[in-house]
Amino acid sequence: MAHRPKRTFRQRRADSSDSDGAEEPSAEAEAPGQQTVPGPAEEGPPSGGGRAEVAERPLRLRSSRGRGRVWASSRRPAGAAPRADGGSGGPESRRVDLSTDEEDGAHHSSESKDDASSSSDSSSSVEEEFSSVVDIPDAAFIQAARRKRELARAQDDYISLDVKHTSTTSRVKKNSDEDPESEPDDCENRIPFTPKPQTLRQRMAEETTTRDEETSEEGQEDESQDIWEQQQMRKAVKITEGRDLDLSHSSDSKPVKKFDTSISFPPVNLEIIKKQLNTRLTLLQDTHRSHLREYEKYIQDVKSSKSAIQNLENSSNQALNFKFYKSMKTYVENLIDCLNEKIISIQEIESSMHALLLKQAMTFMKRRQDELKHESTYLQELSRKAEASTNGSLPADEKTQWILAEIESRRAQRRQARALSGNCDHQEGASSDDELSSADMTDFQKRHGDILQDHKKIFEDVHDDFCNIQNVLLKFQQWREKFPDSYYEAFISLCIPKLLNPLIRVQLIDWNPLKFDSIGLKQMPWFTSIEEFVDSSMEDSKKEESSDKKILSAVINKTVIPRLTAFVEFIWDPLSTSQTTSLITHCRMILEEHSTCENEVSKGKQDLLKSIASRMKNAIEDDVFIPLYPKSAVENKTSPHSKFQERRFWSGIKLFRNILLWNGLLPDDTLQELGLGKLLNRYLIIALLNATPGPDVVKKCNQVAACLPEKWFENSAMRTSIPQLENFIQCLLQSAHKLSRSEFRDEIKEIILILVKIKALNQAESFIEEYHLDHLKSVIKEV
C-alpha cells in the first residue's frame, strides 16, 4: 500500500544553522509532481505473477538511489555558490529519492507477504495482468529526472554555508556534467556557523520569496492529496476487477458433464427388481429391529431412572443422615475417650478388691495348714507319750496349746450354731472353718467399704449416656432401627462387647461368685440391658439376628469368664462347700445356657475348666491328710486320736463330694481321675480298710456311694462297675465278710445295696450265693 504524503511541511528560515532539517522537509513537500515516478510502482499488486517485475524494479531503483544519496545530501561543499532563485528543482529531486526509499520498503514488505500467502494459479494470473498495466520508466527517463534534480539543487533556494557561492555553484555544475558521483564529501567542506550579513534589500527579497513559497506549498499539498486519493481509488477498482476476473475464470474452467446416449444399460426385469427390493426390505427390517431393541433398552433405563429418583425422593433426607452419622461418630469417639481415661481407675480398684479377697483366702488356707500341722504334731507326741522339755521347746508347746485352744473354741461356736439351727447330722470335720476374729473382720469390712467408696467415684463426673449401659445400647439401637444396613455392615455386634467391657467390670467389682448369697448374673443390670437389646433386634433376616444374639455370649466370654478364672485360681477354696456350690451355679449358667457360639467361648471355657481341675488337684495334694493310728489309740471314740482321724476322714469326704459336684461341667475322665483315682483310692479307701468293721464303716461307705454321680451308672446292661471303683468294691466285700461273722449281720444288706447302686452286680450275686443270703436276691432282681 502506498504511503500517504504528509500534509504540511514548511521550509526553515534562512537564519537556521542546520541545513539538513531545512532541506529534507521542503524537498518532501514541494515535489508533488515527482510522485508520478514512483506511482506506478506503488500501484502494482502485492502478490501474484507480477512479483518478478516488481522485484526487478526495486533493484534498478536502488542502484540509482545509491548514487543519488551523495548529491541529495543537504550539506554543500565549501566552494559552492548560492543559488539566485528559489526554484523547486532541489526539493523535487529530494522528493524522488525519498519516494524511491518508501517504494523499496513497501515492495519488500509486500514481497514477504506474497511469499507466505499466494500459491494458487488463479491469483497468479490476476497478478500478471496487473503487472502488465504498470508503466516502469526506462533509463533515459530516470537520467533526465536525475539531471533535473541536480539543476534544482544548484538554485539558491537555501542559504549557503560557504561564503564563496559562485565558485561552489560552478563547481557543482561542472561536476554534474562530467560525473554525478564526483561531488566532494561532506567532511571536506567548511561549514560556516554564522550567517552572512545581509542588506535591507536582500532581507526584503527573502521575505517576499518566503511568502510566495508558502502559498505555492499549500497548493502543492492539495494537489498531492488529490493525486494520492485518485491512486487509491484506481487500486480499489483494479483489485475488484481482478477478483471478478478470477471468479469468472474459475467458473468457466469447470467442464459440464454431458449425458452420453451411446452407452447401453443391461436389461432389467421384474425378478431383479423384486430381488433388490427384498434385499433392501430385509436390511430395513433388521435396522428397524435393532432400533426397537435400543428403544426398549432406553425405555427400561428411563423407568429405572424414574424409580431411582422416586426412591431417593421418598428416602430420608441426606442431610439428616449425615447429621446422625456425624453425631454417632462423635458419640463413639467421646465414649472411647472416656473409657480410656477411666480404665486405669477401674483396673486399680479391681486390683485392690482382688488383693483384699486373696489376702483373706490365703489367711484361711495358712491357718488351716498351720492348725493341721500343730494338731498332728501334738497327737504324735501324745502317742509316743513324750513329755515336752523346758529347754527351748516350752514356747513351742505354749504356742501349740494356744492354737489348739483357738481351734476348740471355733468348733464349740459352730456346734452351738448347728444346735440352734437344728442340724444334728453334721459330722465333725465337715466344716469349712472360715471364721474370722472380730479384729480381722472389722479390718476387712473397713477396707472393703473404702474400695466400694472409690468404686462409686469412678463415674461420678461422667454423664449417664457414657456410663450407663442401657443408654449406650440405646444409641446403637437407634442406629440399628434407622439404618440397619450400615449397622450390620459396620459389625457393631463385634464392637459392643469391647465397648461395654469396662462398664461391666465396674459392676463386677463388688461381685463375689464364691459367696452363697451373691447376686446371679441374670439379675445384674448389665445382663438385663443386653438381653433387652438382643431381644429388640430387627427381624430382617436370621443372619442379622444371630449376629446380635452373639453379643451376650461374647460379653460373658470376654468379661465374666476371665473374672471367674481369677477367682478359681487364687481365691476359691475347694474344701468349702458353700463356695463350690455358688461357683458351680454361676459356671453352669455361663457354660451351659450361654454357650451358643462354641467357637467363641471355647478358649475361655477351656481355660476356666483347666483352672478348676488344677485347683482341685492342688487341694487334694495340700489339704487332704488322714493319719493312721494303732487300734489301741482309736478304739476309744473319745480319744484325741480317734476324733482327729474322724475329722480328717470327713474332711476328705467333703472334698470328694465337692469334686464330684462338677459332674456335667468337667469331663468324666477328669472327675474320675481326681475324685476316684487320687482321693478315694489313695486316702479314703485306706482309712476304711484300717477302721474296725461296724456301722460306722458302713455309714462312711454309704457317704462315698452317695457322692458318686448317678450318670455314671445309668446303663442298665452294666454288670460290673467302672474300673476306678474296683478298690472300693473290694473294701465293701471285705467289710461284708467281717460283718457276716460278727453280730452286725443286718449291715450286710446295706453293703449289698451299695454294690447294686454302683452296678457291681456280679460281685453282689457271688457274695449272696457264697453266704446263702437268698432273701437278698430280690434286691438284685429289682434293679
Side-chain angles (χ1 to χ4, degrees), residues 14 28 50 67 99 142 146 188 216 227 235 242 285 339 385 440 494 523 527 546 552 625 647 666 676 678 736:
E28 293 175 0
R67 292 189 299 269
S99 300
I142 294 173
R146 183 180 298 167
E188 297 177 0
S216 63
I227 294 173
K235 285 182 180 181
Q285 288 176 351
L339 297 179
K385 296 180 180 181
D440 294 339
L494 301 178
Q523 286 74 36
F527 193 94
S546 62
L552 185 58
F625 174 68
R647 286 195 299 268
L666 291 178
L676 303 181
K678 293 183 178 298

Side-chain angles (χ1 to χ4, degrees), residues 32 36 38 40 47 156 220 350 372 474-475 498 527 575 701 729:
T36 57
S47 60
D156 292 331
Q220 289 177 1
E350 278 184 339
L372 177 61
L474 184 61
K475 293 286 186 179
K498 297 180 181 180
F527 193 94
L575 288 173
C701 290
I729 294 172

